[in-house]
Every structure is written in C-alpha cells, then in structure tokens.
C-alpha cells in the first residue's frame, strides 16, 4: 500500500513537472485560439465584466459579441487581471492548475477500477500523453473541459456502483460544466447511455432518475448555446461554431481522408502506436472487468463522435481534440498489463523473462529508430507493423491457451514468457514513442516573425483606428466553410478591425472595408502569395506605411482618382 501511494506521488510530481516546462511563455505564436482567449479576457477587463457577452478583437465596426462556449475561462482570467494586473501567464497558470486537478481525478479513477500495477501503468500512460500535456498550460478552454469531463465519468461510474446521492449530483454538475466549457463534451451522453443500458437493461427508460440526470446535465448547455447562437445571428461573429462545418456528410463514405486523418491523429498522439498492440492483447483475452468494459464503452462513444465530426477531427491541426480518447485508452493499457502480469505470475517466468526481454528490447529499439512513430512514416507502414505484431500476439495466445497438452515441461513457460515479454517490450516502446512526441510538444517554440512585425506596425496606427488583417482560407479542401478569422495580429497590436479570408482577397473587398472605417491593411506575404498579382495591385493603389520580412502594412487612403472603387 505504501509503495503504491509513493508511486502515485512520484507520478504526480513527474506530471506536474512536465506540464510546467512551457508554462511561462507569452502569447507569441500564431495560435488563433490562444490569441482569442487572451483578447476576450483583456476586453472583459477593459470593456465590462458581463460574463454573457464576450468580445473579440476582429469585430469589424461592431461591438464584437461572439458566439462561443460558455466564456467562464477568459472571464476568470479577467477577474484575476483586476486583482494582479494584466499578465498573460495568469491564464496559463489557471490551465496548469486544471491539469493538476485532472491528473488527480484520473488517478482516482484508475485506482478505483484497476489493481495497483495496472493503475500505475495506466496513470503513467496518462501522465506522459503528448496530447494531454499539450493542453495542460495552453490558453484554451480545453483544459477546463477536460477536468470536468474526467470528474463527470468518475462520478457517474461511482453513482452506478454505489447508488449514491452525492455522486449522482456531482455527475450532473460535472457533465453540465464540461458541456458548457466545450460543446464536444456532449458525447458523454453516448457513454452514459451505454453504461446505463449495461447496468439496468431496457428498464433504464422507465427509471425517472436517468431522465433527471439527462435534463440536469444538458439544460445549462442548451440554454447557453441558444443564447450564444443569438449573438451569431445578430453580430455574425463565431469562434468556429456556426461559421464552420464540422459534421461529416455522405462524403465520409467516399472520401478516405477523413478516416485517415482521424487514424493518423490517434496513432501519433494517443496510441503511440505500439500501445494499440498492448491493448489488443487485453482485447484478445476479453477480461470481464470494470476497467475493460468502461474503456471499451468510452472508446466507442469517442469514436462515434469522431466520425460524426470527422470534417474537423480528421484535420491535423485538431490533434488536441483527441485528448478525450486518452483516458479510456490508458485504462485499457493498464488492464492489458494486469492480464500480462497474471499470466506471468501463473507460469513462474522469472528465469526466462530476462533473456527474452533483452532480445525483444533490441527489436523494439530497431522499431523505434526506424522512425515508425515519426510523422513522415506512411500510415500504411504503421498499420502493417501493428497488424504483424497483433498477429504475433494472437498466435502466442493461441499456443498458450489452446495447446496446453502439447506444451509440456519447459515449453509452455517459455512460450508464455515470450508473450509476456512482448507486452513489456511494446509497453516500453509505447513510452518511448510518448517521449519522442513530447519533444515536439514541450519544445519552446520560436516566436513568430509576425510578432516582431506587429511591434513595428502598431505605433503607426492611432488608437481607435480600425485595420484589416489577413485571415485563413474561406473553405476547407472539400469546399465547406471554415472559421478563417486570425486573431493574433489584432491582439499583438491591440487594435480592432476586419479579417479577409484568402480566396476573397481583392481590391474591391479592401475598398469595401475601407468604406466601413478600416484605415490600414496588415497583409501577410504568405497570404498575398496565394492570390497572384494581388500584392502588386495593392502597392499600386495604396501607399506602404511599413514593411517587414513577413508582412506589409498599407495605408487605405488612396488618391480618389485612382481608387479601386472608381476603377471598378
């Protein structure tokens, strides 16, 4: 018992240390959502603390009220700004505290569902997960959502087991808060429905408490998102809710890029990818444990959600959305290790494991050095390798469990040792893959060149003047609308104004926004290059106020005789 407590204390310290490594960097990268959250917090602090009306900077000539998830996170940052002053690190510290609380909750869940060894391994997988680490100090609401998300699952499982009023109420509150923090958490309803049906059967539909739970968990979110949608209808501003198409259509069955994108994100950021073979070991044994059943039901709910929202979940930039797939997979990893330990103890394998582990460690090292987990590796290569390893696992299991009479004397323990050692080797490879991916996640990124451009441009724009900034693409590769609004230049320059998406870059568009009050156009050269000839036209009609390597700022006060509007 003392050793287990010590192990979890070490895991917590390790997790906290890893999550603190990138804690202090400012908002200095072209991460749209971080700039939006920072801007909303700053605008609360300056323009009023009405929680229900968050304001963004790319507001054009309007008040900037935006459709988004319940904005308690940027609002809380603004509250702390009132107390401690405006410091960007405050939001990251909040996310860090959420991450530490999420660690503790997952530890409780793992220890409740698994024996000590499996709980420690599952928790280590969770601690080292690159995608979990990526949101642990980011200036995004995902960390807050993830905290309530884990608490909701833990409380729901405890309520089903204990029929406790305390856990019933806690599960309702945590689920409601998770959905408010991020609407994607609503897929918890699929998981909870599966668990209730498994526990209560079809009689679940007649249980009034289940309906109370559903209403209590969903009603706050429905009320908020209805209000937020009114803001979109009134002001036309959304943070990727109504101004982007997330949902898969019939092309899910004709365009393989959606599935390939989802699998690539899972292999790279969740499965690692050797971990999936470790889990396959547990799946092949099909242990009837709570951890196994919860892990399968939870993973089913997650992947159904991924399929429904495949137009977003298959994008490489949306890797952090896959954080919800980590907890169930970690539980399955822990359960698989428990099964391997059970087989190993039963077969008295001590004298065989050392030699076979050394051999397998060498093979795993070659597998690791081959770059199997690298982004450049073809998905097909990863898939073939996983199929081969899974087939080997299946063959060893078949030999152990189906040919017991044929394996006499030393043969059965040796075969069992090979199977157990394969699990250990793959587990070691999984942790190596996690460390490899974390090198990228934890590396302090270089500040964007556009940040230095913003410092050069900002003094030339008088306070209160509106500007235009380059945005992203108007549509995704399949032709559906995407949220193109880039917020970082507005945040860095502390100005308000308009975005132009790439495909709509034109002189008439610039002139129309100038007529609405825009006096400067901060154009990124990478965006201008996607519209051949556009930069030359801008330089012809508008004077250059300032220029840097990555962007050029135009003054939108042309000679009226040569105005694009007149020429048109």
């Amino acid at each position: 018992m003392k050793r287990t407590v010590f192990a979890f204390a070490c895991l917590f310290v390790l997790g906290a240390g890893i999550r603190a490594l990138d804690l202090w960097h400012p908002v200095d990268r072209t991460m749209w959502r971080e700039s939006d959250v920072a801007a909303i917090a700053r605008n609360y602090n300056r323009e009023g603390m009405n929680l229900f009306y968050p304001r963004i900077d790319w507001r054009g000539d309007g008040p900037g009220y935006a459709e988004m998830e319940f904005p308690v996170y940027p609002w809380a940052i603004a509250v702390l700004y009132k107390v401690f002053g405006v410091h960007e690190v405050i939001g990251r510290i909040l996310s860090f505290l959420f991450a530490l609380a999420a660690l503790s909750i997952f530890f409780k869940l793992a220890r409740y569902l698994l024996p000590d060894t499996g709980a420690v391994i599952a928790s280590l997988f969770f601690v080292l997960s690159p995608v979990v680490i990526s949101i642990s100090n980011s200036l995004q609401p995902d960390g807050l959502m993830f905290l309530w998300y884990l608490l909701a699952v833990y409380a729901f499982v405890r309520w089903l087991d204990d029929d406790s009023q305390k856990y019933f109420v806690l599960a309702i509150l945590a689920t409601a808060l998770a959905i408010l923090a991020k609407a994607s958490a609503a897929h918890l309803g699929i998981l909870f429905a599966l668990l209730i049906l498994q526990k209560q059967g079809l009689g679940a539909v007649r249980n009034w408490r289940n309906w109370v739970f559903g209403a209590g968990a969903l009603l706050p979110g429905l009320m908020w998102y209805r209000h937020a949608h009114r803001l979109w209808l009134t002001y036309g501003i959304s943070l990727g809710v109504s101004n982007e198409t997330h949902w898969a259509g019939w092309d899910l069955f004709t365009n393989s890029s959606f599935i390939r994108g989802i699998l690539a994100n899972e292999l790279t950021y969740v499965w690692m990818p050797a971990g999936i073979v470790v889990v396959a070991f547990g799946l092949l044994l099909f242990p009837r444990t709570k951890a196994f059943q919860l892990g399968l039901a939870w993973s089913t709910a997650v992947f159904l959600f991924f399929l429904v929202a495949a137009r977003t979940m298959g994008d490489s930039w949306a890797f952090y959305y896959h954080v919800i797939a980590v907890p169930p997979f970690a539980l399955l990893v822990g359960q698989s290790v428990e099964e391997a330990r059970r087989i190993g103890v039963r077969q008295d394998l001590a004298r065989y494991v050392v030699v076979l582990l050394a051999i397998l460690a060498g093979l795993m090292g070659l597998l690791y050095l081959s770059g199997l987990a690298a982004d450049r590796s073809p998905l097909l290569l990863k898939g073939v390798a996983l199929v081969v390893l899974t087939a080997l696992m299946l063959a060893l299991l078949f030999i152990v469990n189906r040919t017991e009479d044929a394996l006499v004397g030393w043969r059965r323990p040796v075969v069992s040792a090979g199977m157990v050692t394969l699990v250990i080797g793959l587990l070691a490879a999984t942790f190596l893959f996690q460390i490899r991916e974390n090198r990228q996640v934890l590396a302090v990124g270089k500040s964007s060149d556009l940040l230095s451009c913003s410092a050069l441009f900002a003094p030339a724009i008088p306070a209160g003047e509106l500007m235009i900034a380059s945005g992203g693409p108007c549509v995704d590769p399949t032709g559906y609308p995407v949220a193109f609004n880039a917020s970082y230049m507005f945040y860095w320059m502390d100005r308000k104004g308009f975005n132009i998406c790439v495909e709509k870059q034109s002189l008439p568009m610039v002139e129309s926004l100038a007529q609405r009050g825009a006096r400067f156009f901060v154009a990124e050269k990478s965006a201008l290059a996607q519209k051949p000839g556009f930069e030359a036209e801008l330089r012809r009609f508008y004077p250059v106020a300032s220029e840097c390597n990555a962007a050029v700022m135009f003054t939108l006060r042309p000679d009226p005789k040569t105005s694009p509007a007149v020429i048109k």
Side-chain angles (χ1 to χ4, degrees), residues 216-388:
L218 290 174
L219 188 58
L222 290 173
M223 293 174 64
W224 166 254
Y225 289 109
R226 182 182 180 188
H227 165 72
H229 190 63
R230 289 200 195 103
L231 296 180
W232 157 256
L233 294 176
T234 304
Y235 302 103
I237 298 174
S238 178
L239 267 63
V241 183
S242 295
N243 60 341
E244 183 163 343
T245 304
H246 302 281
W247 316 117
W250 289 111
D251 52 351
L252 176 66
F253 303 100
T254 59
N255 187 345
S256 64
S257 65
F258 297 125
I259 301 300
R260 286 189 286 110
I262 291 172
L263 291 178
N265 278 331
E266 288 290 298
L267 281 169
T268 304
Y269 298 105
V270 180
W271 297 339
M272 290 296 104
I276 196 172
V277 189
V278 177
V279 169
F281 171 74
L283 294 176
L284 292 169
L285 290 174
F286 203 79
R288 296 186 179 276
T289 64
K290 287 182 180 178
F292 182 79
Q293 293 171 348
L294 175 62
L296 282 184
W298 198 342
S299 296
T300 299
V302 167
F303 275 91
L304 285 175
F305 169 68
F306 285 171
L307 290 176
V308 171
R311 207 171 296 281
T312 291
M313 295 303 160
D315 291 339
S316 59
W317 65 264
F319 74 95
Y320 60 88
Y321 280 97
H322 289 252
V323 70
I324 56 179
V326 173
F329 194 78
L331 292 175
L332 291 173
V333 168
Q335 183 62 58
S336 295
V337 171
E338 270 299 319
E339 294 304 308
R341 189 182 70 85
R342 178 181 58 82
I343 292 175
V345 170
R346 187 181 68 196
Q347 296 299 332
D348 186 20
L349 305 175
R351 52 183 172 162
Y352 304 104
V353 167
V354 175
V355 175
L356 290 176
L357 182 58
I359 296 172
L360 192 58
L363 294 175
M364 287 295 98
L366 291 174
L367 181 65
Y368 176 69
L369 293 175
S370 70
L372 183 62
D375 290 340
R376 64 179 179 275
S377 301
L379 187 62
L380 179 60
L381 174 62
K382 296 178 183 178
V384 170
L386 294 178
V387 169
V388 170

Side-chain angles (χ1 to χ4, degrees), residues 7 103 127 215 254 299 385 394 415 435 484 522 534 562:
L103 268 181
V127 163
T254 59
S299 296
L394 180 60
V415 173
I435 292 169
F484 63 82
V522 177
F534 183 49
T562 60

Side-chain angles (χ1 to χ4, degrees), residues 3 12 26 28 82 136 168 175 196 200 207 220 236 285 375 381:
R3 286 185 299 179
F12 186 84
D28 58 354
K82 297 287 187 183
S136 62
F168 178 70
T175 305
I196 287 175
Q200 302 174 6
N207 189 330
L285 290 174
D375 290 340
L381 174 62

